[in-house]
Amino acid sequence: DTRAAGPKIEGWVISLSKQRFIMEILTTVNGMPLATDQRQSRGTHTGDQKAQSPGRQQTCMFQTKQKIKVLEVEWHPTLLDVPAQTKFDYMVTDLNGGPQPPSPYEEHYKKITLKGGAIAGQLTTVGMQQMFALGQRLRRSYVEEANFLSPSFKPAEVFIRSTNIFRNLESTRCLLAGLYQQQKEGSVVIVTDEASSEILYPNYHNCQRLKCLSRHPGSSILPVHNLPSCPVLKNFQQTVERRSVDSLLFLLEDSSREVLQMSIGLLFYALQKNITEAVDSSSPAEKARKLILYASHDTTLIPLLVAMGTFDHKWPPYAADVTLELYQHRPSKEWFVRMTYHGEEQVVKGCRAGLCPLGEFLEVLAQYSVSPEEYNNLCSQMEGHQQSDS
């Protein structure tokens, strides 16, 4: 048992969270606002509790002899109050350190005011608390128990990237507040990319082939905030969840491997690069980095888990996280990767145990990883000319 022999934690941890984080930490935030926290990641899945958009609002209909009464949930601005312990100042830049790119999603949300006065697509107080709790769990694991991360935020140790969606940025803030207990020794910078070239969710903007194959993206319904809920909806909740998962798996598992490559191939390409650079650090900056945090979405996590062979056929809950930990065994100098989901160790396909030799883990990534050039080629192919798996 290499861990019993005293492995030394090297490099970083990666976390993916639906509001989820991988230490690299990938966190997921949900995508478009759906019925009472229906989610469609544009991923992440954050502690992604969000206000829903009109036309998707939860309603209950009760029929009397001559009348039908519709009860509609109201989203008051007080549902978005920021708990004091989750506050943590940050700034947002593009990938090169320039101004934050415009966000078409936020422009869309700003045009939608829900009944009660809240703007659609926002992170709620409950979501903030969930992400803060995730940060606290990561602190216990990597600050208090492993003594790996510094107790306060240090820019040299941490790289943070999020999709350019405000509730995902806010989810990241809350996670960092919990992880570092609002302590920092420098500015917190979160980098983002243009929606047209985002890699932290399956990108239907720049991959028309994937968009055509994904005509009916999955979604799920989760009750939150103890708001009024239809008894009928509660009865169908598991059915909706199961069919949402089944419809997405039909696309991801029963189609060509290329669907997974178009969904998370560029992300896997980035993970490969991060891991190899951590193993063979050539610069002081690479040697100082301990954590790479990606704030993504639920629709990022599902294809990732499917590719890893660890998907449990359940829609990722709010504030779910995937973590990749990189270890080096002191005596042998061999490297290993350990993956967790919700803090539970996973055995990646092709690996014999939870602690997977680095070479075997990289082989799993290589099955779905694609370079930007390969990605563009895949997305430009006509649907009728898909290549068979090999």
Side-chain angles (χ1 to χ4, degrees), residues 17-21 27-30 42-48 82 86-95 99-103 105-106 109 121-123 127-128 131-132 160-177 188-193 198 200 293-297:
S17 207
K18 173 188 130 184
Q19 282 59 268
R20 308 154 208 331
F21 289 73
T27 162
T28 101
V29 102
N30 299 320
R42 301 279 184 271
T44 286
H45 231 275
T46 26
D48 233 332
V82 178
T86 69
K87 294 180 179 179
F88 206 55
D89 292 337
Y90 65 92
M91 62 182 295
V92 182
T93 72
D94 65 14
L95 298 182
Q100 178 181 2
S103 173
Y105 291 109
E106 292 309 313
Y109 293 143
Q122 305 304 301
L123 184 67
M128 297 177 200
M131 291 307 298
F132 182 81
I160 312 165
R161 175 171 174 173
S162 169
T163 57
N164 194 19
I165 298 174
F166 184 62
R167 69 170 171 276
N168 209 13
L169 294 167
E170 287 291 273
S171 293
T172 308
R173 165 183 63 80
C174 295
L175 180 145
L176 292 170
V188 177
V189 178
I190 303 175
V191 303
T192 63
D193 198 2
E198 183 59 77
L200 294 184
L293 172 63
Y294 289 131
S296 58
H297 301 263

Side-chain angles (χ1 to χ4, degrees), residues 360-375:
E360 295 178 12
F361 186 82
L362 290 177
E363 286 180 8
V364 176
L365 292 184
Q367 294 179 46
Y368 304 102
S369 171
V370 293
S371 67
E373 294 77 17
E374 292 169 327
Y375 176 80

Side-chain angles (χ1 to χ4, degrees), residues 262-278:
M262 290 183 287
S263 297
I264 41 82
L266 290 175
L267 174 58
F268 275 29
Y269 185 78
L271 296 184
Q272 281 182 309
K273 181 175 181 291
N274 294 339
I275 292 173
T276 54
E277 287 180 351

